[in-house]
Amino acid sequence: MSISGRRYLTITVYLLIVMTAAAGQPPAKDQRHDIPKNAQALNYGRGWECDPGFHKVKEHCSRTKVPANAYSVVTSYRNGWECSRGYREVNGSCVIIYVPPNAYLNASGNGGWMCERGYRAVSNTCIAIKVPANGYLTNSSNGSGWACDRGYRATSTTCVAVNVPKNGYLTDSSYSASWKCDRGYRAVNDACIAIKVPPNEHLVNTSYGSGWKCNRGYKASIDSCVAIDIPQNAHLDFTGEKWKCNKPYRKDQDRCTLP
């Protein structure tokens, strides 16, 4: 027998075995008798869902009674209806949501209302926000609802000018209006006082300390910078403020000696 003949015989035998096994199995159970009245099988998977106008109650479909100002929805939970926009559910009915002047319904249309920009909610009303002179409205619903222009500081109800001293400048803080001193000056009370720079030093941008630092090879002594006395066989360390013995010398008090 040729190879093609043997292949045909094998396939024929396999089909006979499959058909015999299938014939011996009981027919699949028809699930349609499990579907209650006014329902239909799901398009995907097993189970069923109620027809439009009905909602599920335990294992059957009950006709949905839609109250005024509501509409029917196809759902497997709740009562089969939802309130129209501008109404909210209260004890099985839909009652109108009161929207005060200068307000609007929230995004869902069923959860409440929000005040328009320039107003804030007080009880069941929207009160105009009083913006003081040299102030402007913010987009925040928290706090006062307004902020002061640059160069002004907020009090409880007003915006007062920030008094910037000579040799100072306004800061760009988004949290508070204030000022800082120019480089070479430091804040003392409400003024900017010049930093006294001793010889052999340079200014540093720090908000603490003296405001100056000694040059390399010098160290601070009260209000001045004095030269560092480097002994023989030594060198300045990486800080430039201390000395270190050359190898193989070792520090012995104020000098470097061989071990």
Side-chain angles (χ1 to χ4, degrees):
M1 183 182 290
S2 65
I3 295 176
S4 60
R6 287 198 298 270
R7 182 177 300 171
Y8 175 80
L9 179 60
T10 301
I11 295 173
T12 302
V13 172
Y14 173 78
L15 291 175
L16 288 173
I17 293 172
V18 172
M19 293 173 64
T20 302
Q25 293 180 353
K29 184 180 179 181
D30 189 354
Q31 301 293 330
R32 287 178 297 177
H33 70 277
D34 294 333
I35 300 176
K37 186 179 180 181
N38 302 313
Q40 55 187 320
L42 293 173
N43 292 330
Y44 300 97
R46 299 172 62 87
W48 52 270
E49 63 180 357
C50 294
D51 295 335
F54 295 83
H55 64 280
K56 188 174 182 180
V57 178
K58 295 183 179 180
E59 295 303 322
H60 68 277
C61 291
S62 177
R63 182 175 294 278
T64 301
K65 296 179 180 179
V66 181
N69 303 307
Y71 57 93
S72 177
V73 294
V74 178
T75 178
S76 59
Y77 60 93
R78 297 188 61 185
N79 48 22
W81 55 267
E82 291 183 1
C83 291
S84 302
R85 178 176 174 82
Y87 294 83
R88 61 158 58 99
E89 181 181 346
V90 178
N91 298 326
S93 62
C94 293
V95 297
I96 192 170
I97 298 173
Y98 170 74
V99 180
N102 304 307
Y104 58 92
L105 284 170
N106 63 8
S108 69
N110 304 106
W113 51 268
M114 300 179 67
C115 291
E116 295 177 355
R117 186 173 186 271
Y119 295 83
R120 67 170 60 256
V122 178
S123 298
N124 293 320
T125 61
C126 288
I127 305 300
I129 296 173
K130 295 181 180 179
V131 181
N134 304 306
Y136 59 91
L137 280 172
T138 64
N139 292 322
S140 174
S141 59
N142 300 320
S144 63
W146 55 268
C148 292
D149 296 332
R150 175 174 168 80
Y152 293 83
R153 180 185 291 115
T155 65
S156 58
T157 57
T158 60
C159 290
V160 296
V162 177
N163 184 22
V164 182
K166 185 179 179 181
N167 302 311
Y169 61 93
L170 282 169
T171 61
D172 292 325
S173 172
S174 60
Y175 298 100
S176 62
S178 188
W179 54 268
K180 287 185 177 181
C181 292
D182 296 333
R183 176 177 169 81
Y185 295 83
R186 73 170 53 255
V188 178
N189 296 326
D190 294 328
C192 289
I193 307 301
I195 297 173
K196 295 181 179 179
V197 183
N200 303 310
E201 67 79 50
H202 58 276
L203 288 169
V204 291
N205 293 324
T206 59
S207 59
Y208 56 89
S210 62
W212 53 266
K213 185 178 180 181
C214 293
N215 296 336
R216 180 176 173 82
Y218 293 83
K219 62 181 179 180
S221 177
I222 309 177
D223 293 330
S224 63
C225 291
V226 296
I228 298 173
D229 186 12
I230 304 174
Q232 190 177 4
N233 300 312
H235 63 276
L236 285 171
D237 67 2
F238 72 95
T239 66
E241 300 173 353
K242 297 179 182 179
W243 55 268
K244 186 177 181 181
C245 292
N246 302 337
K247 293 181 179 180
Y249 291 87
R250 181 178 298 169
K251 187 175 182 180
D252 182 9
Q253 295 184 1
D254 295 330
R255 60 179 183 166
C256 294
T257 60
L258 288 172

